[in-house]
Amino acid sequence: MLGITRSRSAPNLSVRTYSYPSFESFVSRHGDDSWHTWSHISEDKVSYPVRADQATSFTHPILYRKRSALYFRCIVFVLLGIQMALGSLQWVFTTYRWRPQFTHEERSMSVILLLLSWINLILAFIGFRRLQFTFPLNWIVFASAFESLTLLVMCLRLIELDLTWPFMLFGFVVVAYYTLLGIWVPSMLTANLWILIVASIVVVITSGVALFIRLKMHYYVPLSFCLVLFGPWAMYNSQKLFVSHMREAYMTHQYLEAAAKMYTNYAITVWALVYLYHLSDETLENP
């Protein structure tokens, strides 16, 4: 059988890659406070042979660059504040100034197209990690996902004087309050169990107060959904940022992902508040 010869200068593409230790296995051996040690280890300039089918636009590992936790969180909340301000202004401006009138068919088609666009952008942004390794592309997808979700919420509730500032303010309060609740988790409980306990206690207290003061249904139904669904969702996003054993190693692009998830929570909370308010008012109180 004929042998296969290879030039001395040609690269050996079949060489095995060095197994770079994962952050999770490192933490399991050294404890939760080993992030700074891992950062120093990951900064070592070591060249690794890479297979041709694994190559990206970067020639060195970028997954474990050192990043201050405070600096990372500041970027996340600055981006979140910008998104919330721009989204709220766009909703108010569109509702009060343009006052668009769509037919049922036109609105349904717009919602379907925007929903498909937003789902595809989110899948590209969060699911396919390599798309985020090219610098301007992650910002482009981030801005496109934000804008498509903002337009989607607007089209879902495109009624004159519908997306008013009280709903936006209440959505902001829900995100801010439950973000603060997610910062601390008791040592004897898991993070998810703590979310369930907080949600159960708040729902019981709120239900008792609502029954005592005879709260109207078009206020009680949106409030209950916020306490059961959207508040714990914001609390979970907060724990991914602040609880050490829940977050991943801080990556170069992850502040965009965290801000996008938190703004998604805010936008859907505002839309659900408006929808549930009108739905309960029309069906439960005025049948």
Side-chain angles (χ1 to χ4, degrees), residues 17-71:
T17 59
Y18 180 80
S19 58
Y20 197 71
S22 64
F23 177 72
E24 290 77 9
S25 61
F26 187 83
V27 171
S28 64
R29 293 195 302 268
H30 300 278
D32 291 339
D33 298 331
S34 56
W35 166 246
H36 296 290
T37 306
W38 173 260
S39 300
H40 293 300
I41 293 176
S42 63
E43 287 180 344
D44 295 338
K45 303 299 183 181
V46 182
S47 59
Y48 302 98
V50 181
R51 292 178 62 90
D53 58 350
Q54 295 176 343
T56 62
S57 57
F58 289 85
T59 57
H60 59 279
I62 67 169
L63 295 180
Y64 302 103
R65 289 179 179 174
K66 182 179 180 181
R67 184 174 294 279
S68 168
L70 178 62
Y71 178 67

Side-chain angles (χ1 to χ4, degrees), residues 188-238:
M188 73 289 296
L189 298 174
T190 63
N192 292 332
L193 183 58
W194 177 238
I195 291 177
L196 293 176
I197 292 174
V198 170
S200 302
I201 294 174
V202 173
V203 167
V204 170
I205 295 175
T206 306
S207 300
V209 173
L211 290 173
F212 180 76
I213 64 175
R214 298 181 180 180
L215 188 65
K216 294 183 179 180
M217 292 302 295
H218 62 272
Y219 294 125
Y220 177 72
V221 172
L223 180 62
S224 298
F225 267 81
C226 284
L227 297 177
V228 173
L229 183 61
F230 303 114
W233 183 9
M235 195 172 175
Y236 176 79
N237 290 334
S238 175

Side-chain angles (χ1 to χ4, degrees), residues 36 45 68 90 104 133-134 146 169 203 214 224 248 284:
H36 296 290
K45 303 299 183 181
S68 168
Q90 186 169 352
H104 180 72
F133 292 163
T134 306
F146 153 72
L169 181 61
V203 167
R214 298 181 180 180
S224 298
E248 302 172 356
L284 298 178

